[in-house]
Amino acid sequence: MFKKFILLFLLLVASSSQANVRIFACEPEWAELARMLGGEQIYTATTNQQDPHHIQARPSLIAKARRADLLICTGAELEIGWLPLLLRKSGNSRIQVGQLGYFMATDHVTLLDKPTQLDRSQGDVHSSGNPHIHLDPERMLQVAKSLTETLIKIDPANQSTYQTKLESFSQAWQAMMNKWDKQIFTGKSMVVYHNSWLYLQQWLGLKKTATLEPKPGIPPTSSHLSRLLATLQQSPAQMIIYANYQDGKAANWLAQKTDIPVVALDFSPATEENLIHWFERTVNQIATVLK
Ligand SMILES: [Zn+2]
């Protein structure tokens, strides 16, 4: 009788187990994707007010990384300035390179703009290609599938939950993608701060005509800006966009001089903002300017 009771108890525990994966997400988009895919214990290392290229591997981050079962980051060298140190200091073997708990989103998609020649005099170039993939809904869907596979490998007891979550996410995401009339965007030109919007550009058919950074990672200089001003006075763009974590001074100065509308966008979801909500909000902001 007692043995039977124990067995029943174990079965109940196994079938109703909660998601038991402690997740450390480098950027809010991965935290929110993981949440939609069934992740529950999620720590987000950065907010959308921080530049993911430049984060400090501070003790509180290291402590969180020490306890994580799964690390989800962008990869492709976006976090090269802080993640290797964080991993080393964490002393956590589960999330080291090559382990099951080391998940880099960019490892699961193809990247654009991979430089054929690496020349550091060209600025802070991303040598594995442009890592800013989270604004491409197609690639996000691919990452979602791979992330689900990883969650199942780490937490097989909840396989069916993860599969169901992936299905409902894919449907909602696809429905969101189908909502846009891409004609609003096709061929429209824009000036950007950093090459952060490449994948969104491609998906919407937008055209980037200039960058406020003279070289990747180098803040706008006055000589570069006056050159840009001259170019834009000749052939104006339809908008100037930058991420809220970037300094808006240059963008706003240029907007004032040229009368081109300027848009400040959240490059990542706000704290615990639904991923779909954030994506729609971002595309809507662009659409409003172009209409
Ligand atoms: Zn970048």
Side-chain angles (χ1 to χ4, degrees):
M1 176 67 189
F2 184 66
K3 265 189 189 163
K4 260 190 190 164
F5 181 74
I6 294 275
L7 196 66
L8 186 68
F9 175 75
L10 286 176
L11 273 173
L12 275 173
V13 168
S15 61
S16 67
S17 57
Q18 286 203 309
N20 230 346
V21 186
R22 286 162 301 186
I23 296 171
F24 181 105
C26 285
E27 291 88 23
E29 49 272 25
W30 308 126
E32 295 318 312
L33 181 64
R35 206 183 305 282
M36 296 195 85
L37 296 175
E40 283 171 4
Q41 303 175 57
I42 305 168
Y43 173 75
T44 317
T46 58
T47 72
N48 66 9
Q49 299 304 308
Q50 288 174 288
D51 180 351
H53 302 84
H54 304 287
I55 300 294
Q56 287 247 318
R58 49 178 209 277
S60 60
L61 288 191
I62 294 163
K64 292 288 183 187
R66 187 165 292 149
R67 289 189 289 271
D69 303 305
L70 174 59
L71 172 82
I72 312 175
C73 300
T74 302
E77 299 179 12
L78 175 66
E79 299 97 350
I80 197 165
W82 55 282
L83 190 57
L85 180 68
L86 184 85
L87 281 177
R88 216 174 323 124
K89 293 234 166 152
S90 78
N92 179 349
S93 60
R94 295 184 297 276
I95 57 168
Q96 300 298 320
V97 182
Q99 298 304 307
L100 193 52
Y102 179 88
F103 184 94
M104 297 293 118
T106 48
D107 286 347
H108 302 271
V109 296
T110 55
L111 299 184
L112 302 173
D113 264 11
K114 189 172 162 51
T116 43
Q117 250 183 348
L118 191 59
D119 180 358
R120 284 290 169 202
S121 72
Q122 289 312 299
D124 206 353
V125 181
H126 296 301
S127 66
S128 337
N130 190 310
H132 306 294
I133 57 164
H134 68 292
L135 280 148
D136 175 1
E138 311 267 11
R139 281 179 173 79
M140 282 302 262
L141 213 46
Q142 292 171 13
V143 174
K145 285 176 190 153
S146 303
L147 184 54
T148 299
E149 284 167 23
T150 299
L151 284 165
I152 291 173
K153 278 184 199 152
I154 296 178
D155 182 21
N158 286 300
Q159 176 170 8
S160 61
T161 309
Y162 293 127
Q163 278 163 343
T164 314
K165 293 270 185 187
L166 175 63
E167 230 162 272
S168 41
F169 170 76
S170 305
Q171 275 174 19
W173 195 250
Q174 198 67 53
M176 185 268 302
M177 281 166 70
N178 294 340
K179 255 168 64 173
W180 303 104
D181 173 10
K182 298 240 186 91
Q183 274 185 325
I184 305 170
F185 310 96
T186 311
K188 301 288 166 64
S189 58
M190 60 182 191
V191 178
V192 302
Y193 184 101
H194 174 76
N195 204 2
S196 322
W197 315 92
L198 176 66
Y199 296 90
L200 184 69
Q201 257 160 254
Q202 232 211 6
W203 185 63
L204 291 174
L206 293 162
K207 222 168 56 195
K208 184 195 82 176
T209 51
T211 309
L212 295 177
E213 290 178 334
K215 288 173 184 178
I218 312 289
T221 57
S222 50
S223 59
H224 180 64
L225 286 178
S226 41
R227 264 197 306 274
L228 275 186
L229 177 59
T231 316
L232 287 170
Q233 278 163 342
Q234 290 279 308
S235 48
Q238 260 112 1
M239 60 178 172
I240 302 171
I241 68 175
Y242 67 98
N244 269 326
Y245 71 75
Q246 289 158 345
D247 188 351
K249 259 202 313 234
N252 285 296
W253 176 83
L254 205 56
Q256 226 172 25
K257 295 271 178 200
T258 54
D259 263 340
I260 298 172
V262 62
V263 202
L265 299 167
D266 278 343
F267 194 55
S268 298
T271 307
E272 299 207 6
E273 179 181 26
N274 177 293
L275 195 68
I276 294 181
H277 181 259
W278 160 75
F279 194 88
E280 287 194 318
R281 190 161 67 81
T282 306
V283 182
N284 262 331
Q285 263 183 284
I286 297 174
T288 308
V289 174
L290 295 178
K291 263 179 204 159

